[in-house]
Amino acid sequence: MALAHDASVHRSITKTSYLLGRQCPRRQWLGHHGVVEPAVTEAAVLALQIEASREVESLAAELFPGALRVCREGEATTPYVGVEGTKRALAEAQAVLQAHFEADGLAAISDIVEVRAEGLYLWEVKSSTYEAEGDDDEARANPLYDWDLAYQVHVAREAGNVVIGAGLILLRKEYVRGGGPVRAEEVLIRLDRSAEVAALAARVAEEVAAQQSMLRGSTMPTELPGPRCKGGRKVAAGNRPSDCGHFLPHGVCGRELPVFWAGSLPNLAGGKIALVTGTPGLKIEDLDPNDPAAKWTETQRRVIEGVQTRDEVVDHVPLREKLDELEWPLSFVDLEFDPTMAIPRHPGMRPYDRVPFQWALAIEEECGGGAGGGALLPGAHDSRSESSVRRVPAGRPATDRSPGRAPPGRGDDGAEADREASGRRRHGAPAGADPTLRRHREDRKGGLLPPGPDVLLLDQKAGTRPDGPRLRRPRHRKRNAGGGGVAPSAAPRREP
């Protein structure tokens, strides 16, 4: 397959590139030669993840008072820039942040380098949580992180430095924030990984040499799609850092696969993976659903038959039985959470406790009718308490509800927007109405719920360690609330 890539591009192997090369030579080669990889994670989500990582790195820097920070070439945000700035900083301070090392086409940036009498000690800061338990602490560390550290140590030594060890700085999973400010020594834990890194040194040197030889070639490696295309940060081999964007339908590898690729069957494991990925371009249509040697599960067999016949597969009987259990009034609850808060923001919270910032409720009192409402939970306050809730009148479309920000068009007192919401007719919802509400009302002619009274569901006494939100039980048989997306506590009866 012909690819548009810049053959003149000559990049150093970075830490990220090295880890991707351990996952898939083709993925590394494409990036090295300037082929852009399609994004797997949405930009907004990625930005939140990066922000969380930087917040943890800033907190970790407090563990090393007086540390000097090195910036990248072209940034000049500190007097210490790049490799040369790193050398100066190491000679002047006991710790250096974002230290740059380069040697023979290799490059690495270490989060924190501690200068000790015997040599350098490298620290890698991760925003992951770690739960210390008994005497088996070290065995619980992520294997991927050891390879990350081992590569950094290799480059630093190749650059002429004496490196005596390496370790990880992680978040304590069991940490609970108290009433005061977050203290680095309380929320972070340091793990020495020197022995594990030393055990990988020879393999890292061999792999780096092999990668450099492969990347100098002009021919893209012929790797077949397989399980390694999906990230698995806790895989024992430490060779699956992230999901590959080239595996997407519009990616380099994804474009080569048939629409119904056999590798897309659900719950593939063991020998079945080799069976379906060992033949390039194998289609689901070519599989025998009754092959005794394949030992397909019931779900896999039904998928194969459905693709071959192009018929929808619907379990009418159990679906009808479940729908018959429902009774009106039915409630549809939508809770939105921020799951990326690495450093607890409020007392009683742990790292990555989900913080609610918005909720919405729709109730069908009878088939085809109902009312709804919602609330914003401003991010500037502890949104787990009822006192922080700002009510949104029933009937208002949930167009843009974000932390600390009112919906578009709403003034400080909200009067104009409230009058607008109250004046809407049931069958005349504007184009901006929340599509998630419509999605669960396909049997209704109207688009938006009619105006009605506000409904407040946050319980003052309930909590998430200890003050988080919990839904009171409106008049329905079941309830369900989750982060992101509408979670109906019950669904309207429909003919299957």
Side-chain angles (χ1 to χ4, degrees):
M1 178 180 65
L3 278 177
H5 69 276
D6 188 351
S8 66
V9 173
H10 297 283
R11 294 179 170 86
S12 297
I13 295 181
T14 64
K15 177 179 68 175
T16 299
S17 173
Y18 167 72
L19 295 176
L20 295 183
R22 299 196 71 248
Q23 180 178 18
C24 176
R26 174 184 279 201
R27 186 181 187 186
Q28 184 187 29
W29 186 93
L30 289 169
H32 191 81
H33 288 270
V35 180
V36 178
E37 179 176 324
V40 175
T41 306
E42 293 184 8
V45 176
L46 183 60
L48 289 174
Q49 294 172 348
I50 294 174
E51 181 182 353
S53 297
R54 289 176 177 172
E55 188 177 8
V56 176
E57 288 179 3
S58 296
L59 193 63
E62 297 179 10
L63 297 173
F64 303 89
L68 298 178
R69 181 176 296 275
V70 177
C71 64
R72 298 174 184 270
E73 298 284 350
E75 292 181 354
T77 55
T78 75
Y80 306 92
V81 181
V83 175
E84 293 304 317
T86 298
K87 294 178 181 178
R88 289 172 44 220
L90 290 174
E92 298 175 10
Q94 295 301 309
V96 176
L97 312 178
Q98 300 297 300
H100 289 52
F101 300 108
E102 291 182 4
D104 300 327
L106 307 177
I109 298 179
S110 296
D111 290 331
I112 301 173
V113 175
E114 187 179 0
V115 181
R116 299 182 180 179
E118 304 85 0
L120 305 182
Y121 191 99
L122 276 55
W123 291 102
E124 176 69 11
V125 181
K126 297 295 185 183
S127 56
S128 301
T129 57
Y130 177 90
E131 185 174 13
E133 188 173 303
D135 298 328
D136 197 28
D137 294 353
E138 286 73 20
R140 296 170 58 83
N142 191 324
L144 178 66
Y145 299 160
D146 289 338
W147 289 97
D148 186 328
L149 276 171
Y151 175 79
Q152 294 180 49
V153 170
H154 176 77
V155 178
R157 285 174 174 164
E158 289 295 306
N161 297 283
V162 176
V163 181
I164 61 171
L168 295 168
I169 298 178
L170 305 172
L171 291 165
R172 292 182 183 272
K173 187 175 182 179
E174 66 274 15
Y175 170 80
V176 179
R177 178 169 181 172
V182 175
R183 298 171 59 86
E185 60 271 18
E186 294 176 354
V187 70
L188 299 175
I189 184 172
R190 287 183 263 198
L191 301 178
D192 178 37
R193 305 298 293 174
S194 300
E196 289 76 11
V197 169
L200 300 177
R203 290 185 58 186
V204 170
E206 293 174 0
E207 291 178 353
V208 165
Q211 289 182 4
Q212 289 179 315
S213 175
M214 178 270 296
L215 293 174
R216 283 193 292 266
S218 59
T219 303
M220 179 176 63
T222 55
E223 302 295 326
L224 296 177
R228 67 174 176 275
C229 299
K230 293 293 184 180
R233 288 179 170 266
K234 294 186 178 180
V235 172
N239 60 351
R240 289 167 62 179
S242 60
D243 293 343
C244 181
H246 293 299
F247 187 62
L248 297 173
H250 55 289
V252 171
C253 300
R255 293 196 299 264
E256 298 177 345
L257 299 175
V259 175
F260 296 108
W261 178 51
S264 62
L265 281 173
N267 303 321
L268 288 175
K272 293 180 185 177
I273 296 178
L275 174 66
V276 301
T277 61
T279 303
L282 182 63
K283 303 177 182 179
I284 292 179
E285 298 98 308
D286 299 331
L287 302 176
D288 180 2
N290 300 310
D291 181 3
K295 297 181 180 179
W296 304 117
T297 65
E298 178 63 18
T299 299
Q300 292 167 347
R301 184 186 62 78
R302 295 174 71 185
V303 170
I304 295 172
E305 292 177 345
V307 170
Q308 292 175 343
T309 62
R310 295 298 195 272
D311 291 334
E312 293 184 353
V313 180
V314 181
D315 290 326
H316 293 278
V317 174
L319 180 59
R320 167 51 56 199
E321 291 176 352
K322 284 297 180 183
L323 292 176
D324 285 341
E325 295 178 3
L326 305 180
E327 297 179 358
W328 273 270
L330 306 179
S331 298
F332 301 83
V333 181
D334 179 19
L335 280 175
E336 299 291 346
F337 297 91
D338 179 1
T340 63
M341 195 171 294
I343 305 298
R345 184 169 298 175
H346 306 298
M349 290 183 59
R350 299 175 187 265
Y352 292 108
D353 269 359
R354 297 189 301 172
V355 179
F357 61 86
Q358 167 187 313
W359 66 263
L361 169 69
I363 299 177
E364 286 193 348
E365 297 289 348
E366 58 185 8
C367 184
L376 295 172
L377 307 175
H381 308 285
D382 187 345
S383 56
R384 298 165 299 149
S385 64
E386 183 170 346
S387 61
S388 66
V389 172
R390 176 173 7 154
R391 295 183 178 182
V392 178
R396 167 171 299 164
T399 52
D400 183 12
R401 302 177 183 177
S402 55
R405 185 172 60 191
R410 182 181 178 91
D412 291 340
D413 58 359
E416 180 180 352
D418 289 349
R419 285 194 297 272
E420 178 185 353
S422 300
R424 293 195 182 100
R425 296 177 178 271
R426 172 178 172 181
H427 301 298
D434 186 1
T436 58
L437 295 181
R438 296 182 181 180
R439 190 164 60 243
H440 294 279
R441 287 167 177 75
E442 298 172 356
D443 59 340
R444 294 180 55 179
K445 297 180 180 179
L448 189 69
L449 296 174
D454 292 349
V455 182
L456 190 62
L457 290 183
L458 293 183
D459 191 335
Q460 306 179 278
K461 299 180 180 179
T464 303
R465 300 190 187 104
D467 304 318
R470 186 176 300 168
L471 293 179
R472 284 181 183 157
R473 206 177 184 106
R475 290 180 298 160
H476 54 68
R477 293 185 59 182
K478 298 180 179 180
R479 63 179 178 174
N480 187 1
V486 172
S489 57
R493 294 179 180 173
R494 297 195 183 96
E495 290 296 328

